[in-house]
C-alpha cells in the first residue's frame, strides 16, 4: 500500500443555483482542484463522481469539458455518503498502485433534480418511509431520547445550530452566512417536535472535488503534503439489532477502523467535519467518534470545546446546517475542508495549529437496515 496525498481541493459556491447545471457545478469544482494541485489532464488516471439525482455518466460529462477522455471513470451513489465513497474508491486505486493521480468529485443540484421542492421519496417497499418515518421524524425521536438519557435540552440543540451559523458566517462558500440566536432557532417553524426549521440543513446545490495522488508524485508538486492516513467505509447492520437510538454504531465502527489505520487516537484530532443534517446529530457524533466519553456529548458542547478556539472545533465550515447539503457533494466537501484546515488556509475560521483532522459522512436510510453507509477519513500533515 502506498501513501496517498490530497494534492488539490476545489468547491463551488453552495446555495440555490438553478441557473447552473450540475455538470457545470462539478466542472468548476474539478477545474479549481486541478489548478490547486498543479496537474493537467494528461496526469489524471482515474475519476470517481458521486451523484444521486443528477444525469447518467456524470464523471464523463464533467471531464469531457476539461479535455479529459479515454481514462477510467466511475459514477457512484451511496446516499449522503456518496462523496465519501468516491474519495474512498480513488484512495484505494492510488494506494494499490493502479494510478498515480485521480479526481473524486461530488455534485448535486437539488433545485433542478426530479425531487426539487419535494420530500425525498421512500422506495415503494420501504414500509417505514411509507408510514411516515421521514428523516425529520427519525432525528426528532433521537432528540427526545437524548433529552431522556443525556439530559439534553432544546437549547442545546439550538446551540449546535447557532455554532454552525457562526462558523458559516465566516465561510464565503456557505449558503447561509447569517449568525443566529438560540431564540431564533427555537422560534423557527416546527418540523417534528422538538426539531424546528433552523435545526435542519437546507436543500442546496453545489459541488466539491479533490485531487489525490501518490506520495511520490506529490513530492514533485508540493512540500507540504496532506496525507490520508486512515480511510474506512462501512455499511449498516440489520435494524432489529439496534438497541439505542442515541448512537450510530456504524459511524463508531468506521472511525475505529480509520483511527487504527492512521495510528492516531481521538485525542490526537485537532479538527472535525461531521454529518449534521439535523442539529441533534452532532452531539451523537461527539461520542461515536470518541471525542468524549459515552454520555458526555452534551457536556462537551456546553463546555465550548467544539467551538472555534476550543479544544476540538467541529464543523468549522459551517457544516450542513449553514453551508448546506448538496447530498452527494458533502462527503467530498468535508475532506476539502479538513485538507484546507491542515494547510492553514481557512482564513477567519482557521483552527490554529491543526495537524490531524477527521472527515465523517453518513448516508442512506431504508426499513430493515440501521444505516446505509458511514465513511471516515483521517488526514495528517
Amino acid at each position: 500500500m502506498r501513501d496517498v496525498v490530497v494534492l488539490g481541493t476545489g468547491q463551488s459556491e453552495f446555495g440555490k443555483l438553478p441557473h447552473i447545471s450540475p455538470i457545470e457545478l462539478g466542472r468548476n469544482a474539478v477545474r479549481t482542484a486541478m489548478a490547486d494541485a498543479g496537474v493537467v489532464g494528461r496526469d489524471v488516471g482515474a475519476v470517481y463522481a458521486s451523484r444521486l439525482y443528477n444525469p447518467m455518466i456524470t464523471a464523463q460529462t464533467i471531464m469531457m469539458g476539461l479535455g479529459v477522455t479515454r481514462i477510467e471513470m466511475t459514477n457512484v451513489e451511496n446516499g449522503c455518503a456518496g462523496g465519501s465513497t468516491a474519495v474512498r474508491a480513488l484512495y484505494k486505486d492510488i494506494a494499490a498502485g493502479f494510478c498515480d493521480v485521480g479526481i473524486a468529485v461530488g455534485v448535486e443540484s437539488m433545485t433542478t433534480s426530479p425531487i426539487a421542492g419535494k420530500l425525498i421519496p421512500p422506495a415503494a417497499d420501504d414500509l417505514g418511509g411509507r408510514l411516515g418515518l421521514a428523516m425529520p421524524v427519525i432525528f426528532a425521536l433521537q432528540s427526545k431520547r437524548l433529552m431522556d438519557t443525556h439530559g439534553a435540552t432544546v437549547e442545546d440543540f439550538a446551540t449546535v445550530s447557532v455554532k454552525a451559523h457562526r462558523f458559516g458566517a465566516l465561510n464565503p462558500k456557505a449558503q447561509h452566512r447569517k449568525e443566529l440566536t438560540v431564540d431564533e432557532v427555537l422560534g423557527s417553524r416546527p418540523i417534528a417536535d422538538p426539531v424546528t426549521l433552523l435545526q435542519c440543513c437546507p436543500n442546496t446545490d453545489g459541488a466539491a472535488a479533490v485531487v489525490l495522488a501518490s506520495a511520490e508524485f506529490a513530492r514533485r508538486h508540493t512540500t507540504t503534503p496532506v496525507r490520508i492516513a486512515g480511510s474506512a467505509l462501512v455499511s449498516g447492520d440489520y435494524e432489529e439489532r439496534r438497541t439505542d437510538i442515541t448512537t450510530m454504531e456504524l459511524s463508531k465502527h468506521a472511525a475505529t477502523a480509520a483511527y487504527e489505520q492512521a495510528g492516531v487516537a481521538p485525542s490526537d484530532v485537532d479538527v472535525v467535519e461531521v454529518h449534521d443534517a439535523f442539529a441533534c446529530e452532532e452531539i451523537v457524533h461527539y461520542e461515536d467518534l470518541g471525542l468524549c466519553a459515552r454520555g458526555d456529548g452534551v457536556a462537551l458542547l456546553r463546555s465550548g470545546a467544539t467551538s472555534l478556539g476550543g479544544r476540538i472545533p467541529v464543523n468549522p465550515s459551517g457544516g450542513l446546517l449553514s453551508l448546506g447539503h448538496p447530498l452527494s457533494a458533502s462527503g467530498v466537501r468535508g475532506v476539502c475542508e479538513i485538507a484546507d484546515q491542515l494547510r492553514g488556509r481557512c482564513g477567519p475560521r482557521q483552527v490554529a495549529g491543526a495537524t490531524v483532522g477527521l472527515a465523517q459522512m453518513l448516508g442512506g436510510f431504508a426499513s430493515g437496515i440501521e444505516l446505509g453507509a458511514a465513511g471516515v477519513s483521517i488526514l495528517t500533515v
Side-chain angles (χ1 to χ4, degrees), residues 269-282:
V269 177
D270 301 308
V271 58
V272 176
E273 283 283 316
V274 300
H275 183 282
D276 63 331
F278 296 87
C280 67
E281 270 191 89
E282 186 173 308

Side-chain angles (χ1 to χ4, degrees), residues 4 40 42 76 127 134-135 161 173 206 278 317 350-351:
V4 179
V40 295
R42 64 177 174 271
V76 303
L127 181 61
M135 290 295 100
S161 185
K173 300 289 188 183
F278 296 87
S317 66
Q350 177 65 45
V351 176

Side-chain angles (χ1 to χ4, degrees), residues 54-322:
N54 291 319
M56 66 175 72
I57 59 169
T58 302
Q60 290 87 336
T61 49
I62 287 174
M63 299 307 298
M64 176 181 66
L66 298 172
V68 179
T69 59
R70 290 194 170 183
I71 63 170
E72 181 177 346
M73 299 191 193
T74 306
N75 298 285
V76 303
E77 178 276 307
N78 220 0
C80 300
S84 298
T85 304
V87 173
R88 165 71 174 170
L90 179 60
Y91 164 85
K92 290 194 293 182
D93 279 359
I94 296 173
F98 287 106
C99 63
D100 290 324
V101 181
I103 295 168
V105 55
V107 61
E108 210 77 74
S109 178
M110 300 301 290
T111 60
T112 63
S113 74
I115 65 158
K118 304 174 185 177
L119 291 173
I120 297 174
D125 60 350
D126 186 341
L127 181 61
R130 291 290 171 178
L131 292 175
L133 196 62
M135 290 295 100
V137 176
I138 291 170
F139 289 103
L141 292 171
Q142 186 178 78
S143 297
K144 286 285 193 181
R145 191 64 178 160
L146 286 168
M147 295 169 77
D148 290 341
T149 61
H150 285 54
T153 66
V154 292
E155 288 79 14
D156 290 321
F157 305 139
T159 297
V160 173
S161 185
V162 168
K163 178 174 71 70
H165 285 82
R166 184 175 298 128
F167 279 135
L170 303 174
N171 187 347
K173 300 289 188 183
Q175 178 169 351
H176 296 311
R177 300 190 60 197
K178 176 186 175 182
E179 293 197 34
L180 299 175
T181 66
V182 167
D183 287 343
E184 285 174 323
V185 174
L186 295 178
S188 61
R189 180 162 58 91
I191 301 299
D193 185 54
V195 176
T196 62
L197 182 63
L198 291 176
Q199 294 175 47
C200 309
C201 66
N203 282 342
T204 306
D205 306 332
V210 291
V211 175
L212 303 187
S214 67
E216 182 180 359
F217 181 94
R219 277 194 287 270
R220 303 197 296 268
H221 292 260
T222 180
T223 57
T224 55
V226 174
R227 185 169 71 97
I228 300 183
S231 171
L233 182 71
V234 185
S235 60
D237 195 3
Y238 292 108
E239 190 174 42
E240 302 81 56
R241 294 200 239 260
R242 190 178 186 193
T243 60
D244 185 355
I245 63 172
T246 67
T247 179
M248 293 177 176
E249 286 283 339
L250 187 58
S251 183
K252 183 177 179 179
H253 292 319
T256 298
Y259 285 135
E260 182 177 352
Q261 181 187 353
V264 302
S267 58
D268 296 319
V269 177
D270 301 308
V271 58
V272 176
E273 283 283 316
V274 300
H275 183 282
D276 63 331
F278 296 87
C280 67
E281 270 191 89
E282 186 173 308
I283 296 171
V284 171
H285 297 326
Y286 295 163
E287 300 181 11
D288 288 343
L289 296 176
L291 306 184
C292 63
R294 180 78 179 136
D296 288 349
V298 172
L300 186 69
L301 173 73
R302 291 175 180 173
S303 74
T306 60
S307 297
L308 191 61
R311 174 177 64 82
I312 178 68
V314 175
N315 286 351
S317 66
L320 309 185
L321 288 168
S322 179

